[in-house]
Each structure stands twice: as structure tokens, then as C-alpha cells.
Amino acid sequence: MTFANPWLLLLLVPFGLLYFFWREKKFIGYSSLCHVKEPHGFKRVVIRLFKPIFFGIIFFLIVAIARPQTRYYNEETALRGREIILSIDTSFSMTGTAIETIKKIVGDFIKKRTNDLVGITIFGTDAALIVMPTMETQLLEKSLERVQASQAGYQTSIGEGLFTSITALFEKEMGKKFTIKELRNSINKEYLADYAISFIKEMEKRDILKNKLIVLFTDGIYNIGISPDRPLRLLKRMGIKAYVVAVKASDVTGVDPEVAAQHIMELQEAVESTGGKYFHADNFDEVARFYDEIDRIEKDKIVIETVSKKKDLFIYPALASLFLLLTSIFIENFWIRVP
């Protein structure tokens, strides 16, 4: 416990001296009713309590105005929902119809997410975080309007888009203990390195892996950056599902058709290994199934804000002082009588 005005506790010093002198009866003499016959029994005990009660009133009053408080505690604002990152392919192959199809699906998806935190990343040659997970629908819609093809470069790096989406989900939790660069290096191998395993264990320890997912909007063909199966392997190990809404490319991809088909097949297999699914945007029924699939994912607690607060405790000594005051009034008016 702490005090907001601890210097006011100095008032207890003269108060303590006054109480000491009263106990020792070192007061200057004055006329009194000491020769009047004192009452006996319980009434006598009650009358003798009058002065201790008076000092109790002053003591608790001083403590109250010093404002006792608890130490800082965290107060969470939370709700039940999901945390979703929408990762949009903005490479050159998305020019025209493809990017407009994606924006239409994403726009409809955002409107359906009433209690979910939604963030947006984009990827082309590079990847970028556009909006951190938020419930601000208008912010998401305005940001989506500004998304254009070739915004992050002409080539397609699906792996970078996935990795940026992962860091967007855990940016607040990474702190100083984990860095994006080290985490990226630790997953860009044939296996998950110790650094990545340590990251996973820390997130599991904090119990923050539930109700998170990533939705990828792309043609499924990549030609630069880390292989998509590596960040997807990390997601699988953490128990986080990834989904793909596949859009047919509007322009040339710069990838041999056979290689492109192989990329799409590998991406579909890697996504399904996380427990997610692969949908086709040109099929209305599949898009509807995509919405339903996300809605079926169990909601969990999402902490929106954590605020450090102190709780005031002055009410308790104030009530004690008031109680003693009322008691003294009762004693003075109903028990103390001068014959």
C-alpha cells in the first residue's frame, strides 16, 4: 500500500504527542465535574470510551486525507473474438481485375467482422504492414481503398507476406527478447532453428496462440523471397491456421506455367497442413464457404487495452472515522448526563 499525500501523515506526530499527554494526564488544570458521582457498570465503561473514540476519529481522518492506495495493477479491456491478418498480393500480376476482385472480397469480409481484430499487410517484391489489428472498420476500409497493384514492387514474395503477417500478430509480444531479423533467419532454413523454437515456446507460455489466423489473397505464384512453406511451417508448429483465397492473375507472372502450377500445389498443401483451406475467388460458392469457415472458428479472449491503475482506499479510514464520530455523538447525547 502507498499514499498519494504521504507528507500529511506528519500530522500524526503532534496527534501522537497529544494522545501521550492525555494518557499521562499532563494537562493544565481546569474546573471539572470530577467530584460528581460517576455512573457504574456498563454505562461507566461506555463513558470512558469517549476520549479514545475522539482520538480514533482524528487518527482515521488523517489517514484518509493522506489517500492510501494500492500499488499499480493492470486493468484489461477485453472481448471475445478473433485476431485476423489479411495479407494481400499487390504484385504486378494483380493489375486490373485481380486486385479489384481481392478488394471487393476483403471489403465484404471486413464488414462481417463485428468483434474481431483485423489487420492488413501487402506484399509484392517486399512486404509491408498497412494496418495493425484493429476493430476500427472505417480505418480498415480507407486503408483498403489505397491498396494498388505494384504498390510493394512488381514481383511476388508470398513468403515475405506471410512472415510479415506473423510478426504483425505478435509484434507487441516480441518486445526486446525477440527481433524480426533473427526470427526470419531462424525459419529460413530446412528446419526451425532454436531461436524459432524458443519464440514458439514463449508464445505458448503466454497462452496467446488461440483464435489467431492469417488469410492470404494471391494467385499462388511466387518468384522471389523466402519459400512460403517456411513461415507456414512456423504457423503449423504454433497451431495457427492459414487460409488462401486464390485469385486468377490478371497479367503475366514471369514464371513458367509448369513451375507456377507446382507453386500453387505446394502452397495449397502447406496451407492445408496448418489446418486451413484453399478457396478460389472466382467461385461464388467457395467465397461464401470461406466466410462460413472463418465464422466457425472459435472465439477467444482478446485484450484490447491494458491500463496500469491504482485503487484509492481512503474510503475505508473515512468510513471508520465517520462511524466513530456517530458513536461519539450517540455517547455524548444519550450516555453522558450531568446530574
Side-chain angles (χ1 to χ4, degrees):
M1 185 175 68
T2 60
F3 290 88
N5 305 309
W7 57 273
L8 288 174
L9 294 176
L10 293 174
L11 294 174
L12 291 174
V13 176
F15 169 73
L17 292 174
L18 180 63
Y19 183 77
F20 173 76
F21 281 116
W22 174 75
R23 294 278 296 179
E24 296 295 323
K25 299 183 179 179
K26 295 181 179 180
F27 290 108
I28 297 174
Y30 60 92
S31 59
S32 69
L33 299 174
C34 62
H35 296 292
V36 177
K37 185 178 180 180
E38 291 187 1
H40 298 281
F42 180 70
K43 190 172 184 179
R44 179 181 180 181
V45 174
V46 172
I47 291 174
R48 286 182 177 273
L49 287 175
F50 181 72
K51 287 184 178 179
I53 288 174
F54 169 75
F55 282 102
I57 293 170
I58 303 300
F59 173 80
F60 285 116
L61 185 60
I62 292 172
V63 173
I65 62 176
R67 282 188 63 194
Q69 299 174 323
T70 61
R71 295 188 181 276
Y72 278 108
Y73 68 96
N74 291 331
E75 183 176 275
E76 293 182 345
T77 301
L79 52 80
R80 292 187 64 80
R82 312 169 190 89
E83 193 167 356
I84 306 169
I85 298 294
L86 308 178
S87 190
I88 301 173
D89 185 347
T90 60
S91 62
F92 183 73
S93 62
M94 293 291 104
T95 303
T97 305
I99 194 68
E100 294 306 318
T101 300
I102 288 175
K103 290 169 71 171
K104 174 66 169 61
I105 295 172
V106 171
D108 291 341
F109 181 80
I110 289 171
K111 291 175 183 176
K112 294 175 180 290
R113 310 267 64 84
T114 52
N115 281 340
D116 295 336
L117 291 175
V118 179
I120 298 176
T121 63
I122 61 172
F123 63 92
T125 305
D126 300 308
L129 173 62
I130 301 300
V131 185
M132 284 291 291
T134 179
M135 294 182 67
E136 295 290 336
T137 303
Q138 288 186 344
L139 173 61
L140 291 166
E141 290 175 342
K142 290 290 184 183
S143 300
L144 181 63
E145 288 176 6
R146 293 193 289 268
V147 171
Q148 300 296 331
S150 304
Q151 191 171 351
Y154 292 100
Q155 295 175 293
T156 308
S157 179
I158 295 176
E160 299 294 349
L162 283 166
F163 180 72
T164 301
S165 299
I166 292 171
T167 58
L169 284 174
F170 296 100
E171 184 173 346
K172 290 188 294 184
E173 287 78 14
M174 291 179 74
K176 296 181 179 179
K177 187 172 182 179
F178 300 98
T179 66
I180 293 174
K181 181 180 179 180
E182 288 293 329
L183 184 60
R184 185 186 184 281
N185 291 338
S186 68
I187 70 166
N188 194 21
K189 302 177 184 292
E190 295 301 321
Y191 56 90
L192 289 176
D194 291 341
Y195 192 88
I197 298 298
S198 176
F199 172 77
I200 294 168
K201 289 182 177 179
E202 181 65 24
M203 298 304 109
E204 288 175 341
K205 181 180 177 182
R206 299 183 193 180
D207 193 26
I208 55 172
L209 297 180
K210 298 177 182 177
N211 70 308
K212 297 180 186 292
L213 62 138
I214 294 173
V215 183
L216 199 64
F217 297 86
T218 180
D219 58 11
I221 305 168
Y222 62 93
N223 51 23
I224 195 174
I226 61 176
S227 174
D229 70 297
R230 296 185 175 179
L232 286 169
R233 181 176 53 193
L234 177 64
L235 289 174
K236 178 182 178 181
R237 177 64 177 77
M238 291 192 292
I240 297 174
K241 294 180 180 180
Y243 294 83
V244 170
V245 177
V247 181
K248 186 177 180 180
S250 299
D251 214 317
V252 293
T253 62
V255 179
D256 181 80
E258 290 186 5
V259 175
Q262 181 68 22
H263 283 178
I264 292 172
M265 184 181 69
E266 290 174 354
L267 178 62
Q268 184 170 353
E269 290 176 354
V271 163
E272 290 175 351
S273 73
T274 69
K277 293 184 179 180
Y278 196 97
F279 300 94
H280 294 276
D282 56 355
N283 186 319
F284 180 80
D285 291 335
E286 287 208 14
V287 173
R289 284 201 299 114
F290 160 67
Y291 293 142
D292 292 339
E293 180 73 23
I294 302 302
D295 288 337
R296 281 197 294 269
I297 295 175
E298 184 179 357
K299 296 182 179 182
D300 197 24
K301 177 183 175 183
I302 297 178
V303 177
I304 305 299
E305 183 181 25
T306 302
V307 180
S308 294
K309 290 185 176 181
K310 284 186 176 182
K311 182 179 180 181
D312 280 315
L313 303 175
F314 72 90
I315 187 66
Y316 300 109
L319 288 174
S321 180
L322 178 62
F323 173 76
L324 292 177
L325 176 63
L326 294 175
T327 302
S328 69
I329 292 173
F330 176 79
I331 292 173
E332 186 174 9
N333 286 276
F334 294 94
W335 289 91
I336 298 180
R337 291 287 186 273
V338 178

